[in-house]
Amino acid sequence: MKKRFLIIALFPLIVNGQSDEIIKAFSESYSLEAVGNFAKAIQEIDRVYDENYYEMNLRLGWLYYNLGNYFESKNKYEKAVNQMPYAIEAKLGYVLPVSAMGNWDEVVKTYEKILEIDPQNSLVNYRMGAIFYERKQYEKALNFCEKTVNLYPFDYDSVILLAWIHYQKGDLREAGVLFKKSMLIKSNNASAEYGLSLIK
Amino acid sequence: MESRLYKIVLLFYLFYSPVLLSRETRDFVYYNQATYDHYLREEWDQLIKVAHEALNSGYDFYYLRARLGIAFYEKGIYTSAIIHFKKALIFNSTEPAMLEYLYYAYILASRHPDAAYLFHNHQEIFGNIRLDYQPKFIDGLGFEGTYKWSNHMTEEGVEIGNVLYGRIGFQHNLGGRLNLIHFAGLLSMAITDKYYDENYYICYPYHFYQFDYYAKLNLLLGTGWVVSPAFHFTGVDAVSSHYADIYFGLGIRKRLGRISIGFNYGYADIYDKTIKQYVPEIVYYPLGNNKLYLTGTAIFSTGDADQQVYMGSAGVRVFPVTWIEGFFAGGKSQYVSLFEGALIYNNPDYLQSRTGCSLTQYLNSKTSLQFFYVAEKKEQTVSGDHYTQHVFSLGLNLKF
């Protein structure tokens, strides 16, 4: 079923007869992006743009985001998300402009959709932990961050976030252990040192 | 020839380049940047103009609403600020800065129950913010003393004298959607019965005492409507009679930007009369804040008193902490209840008009003094005498 879906999605690109021109446009857009000329890179894709192409929407979403046109970026990513409902990369792209516009409730909803597809996604679990930490909803933050640390116990960002979550919850013993653990990963880290000084 | 062409090109450039330059692309990037720049420079009028243009072009996002709300807030147009802060919170429901702005916008728009409800729903966040005012169980306390001077003079019959009235009132936050306003008062009215007995005029002075208790509950519904059941009990103690008057009311109102609409139904059992009142009311805030407001109320009564009363008032902030208000009520009425039953005329005399003014002076952010003067024109029920009662009232309100 998954294979069939992939074939259907790629089919228009192959039969259109314009594939060479599209490949060239994409190639040009990468070169222009590399030198920071996002407007020209967009023009390259626009030249061959067909809204039915997932790849074009995804690419334009990224380029518009870099140009600072978050609204257009969101529109393009939205199209890509609708075209490939199970694609995690499109959803991760979608949250870029949405968060830049400050629409954080939409970011959380999108991450929840990703976790429905891929509950163990460590990046999304970590980000959800960070969002709920910022929102001072430490119990929720703990649930997400624990998953990440269980999957990647030697990942500094996850360990230090979990340490602070425990600290904010008042679980000082757990927080102390985790602050020290984070120093095994990054020996001179100011965050852990500060956390430990607060516990003493 | 070449020089001429050069001049034409130069002229074209000089005349048309500003026009071409001003036609910058008004897309998301422009609106986002322009509103941000105006925000940093505190150019609120320009910000409001550009942000509205962005909204009309279909661009709507958290930062735009936040900037627009802050612009209105800084201009003191709290009714508009509230709209945009609420929209911003749809995009980012737990942003502490936006919640705090909305909270103070509610307070500055005199919408304390809404502020209390917001506080109750986001206690986790507000717990980390130092607020000047926090809703409490006892939220407010008020005292009022009133003296009514009557110019009624009659040779025979009932002469209405002066009135003394004092009351104490409380405001309570009952958590979340509920708040309660209630007061208790004591009234003393001088009355003289005058009659002619053969060769003598006989005067029989006595006092009419009254205890009253009023309570109004405000229930905030999720849709912005407020439902307010109210109750007023009055126990009368005169020389020859003791009786009770009772009022039940149910009001509903909603704030729609600069306008507040409401409807109130009242049922009153006063002395030997049963009266039903239907009261539509409207309040208009032309500046989007309580610096200026206009109110209009109509009272249609049925039952044992078929009558209409029309009321209007206008209030204006004359100094930063001083308000004055003028008000008028006209239409001959008997046993009428005003202000959602908070004021009941249970004296049988007809009320012909009620005209007055008030002055409210804030001593600090939590203490205010109020002075009222009202002229009540009345008609004595039996004799048909006309008289006026001059009402002087002084109130002290404390917020906790």
Side-chain angles (χ1 to χ4, degrees), chain B residues 369-398:
Chain B
L369 274 176
Q370 265 187 317
F371 172 75
F372 280 90
Y373 167 73
V374 189
E376 293 175 349
K377 286 192 187 296
K378 291 185 174 175
E379 182 185 319
Q380 224 271 323
T381 323
V382 181
S383 65
D385 289 348
H386 288 87
Y387 67 98
T388 303
Q389 284 183 308
H390 299 275
V391 184
F392 302 92
S393 181
L394 187 66
L396 171 69
N397 293 308
L398 305 167

Side-chain angles (χ1 to χ4, degrees), chain A residues 2-3 83 90-91 153:
Chain A
K2 216 173 183 182
K3 205 171 177 182
Q83 283 164 335
K91 290 184 177 67

Side-chain angles (χ1 to χ4, degrees), chain A residues 69 71 103-105 135-136, chain B residues 28 58 62-63 91 93-94 128:
Chain A
N69 192 338
F71 213 79
N103 304 351
W104 284 96
D105 283 17
R135 291 182 170 190
K136 300 183 189 341
Chain B
F28 172 85
Y62 170 78
Y63 287 122
F91 290 119
S93 55
T94 57
N128 296 301

Side-chain angles (χ1 to χ4, degrees), chain B residues 72-73 75-81 108-109 255 257-259 283-294 315-318 323:
Chain B
F72 278 118
Y73 184 93
K75 282 177 69 67
I77 306 171
Y78 303 116
T79 52
S80 299
L108 291 165
R255 276 288 276 266
R258 296 184 183 206
I259 288 174
V283 185
Y284 176 48
Y285 301 89
L287 305 177
N289 53 36
N290 57 9
K291 289 176 188 168
L292 179 65
Y293 58 87
L294 306 161
V316 62
R317 192 179 80 160
V318 285
W323 272 259

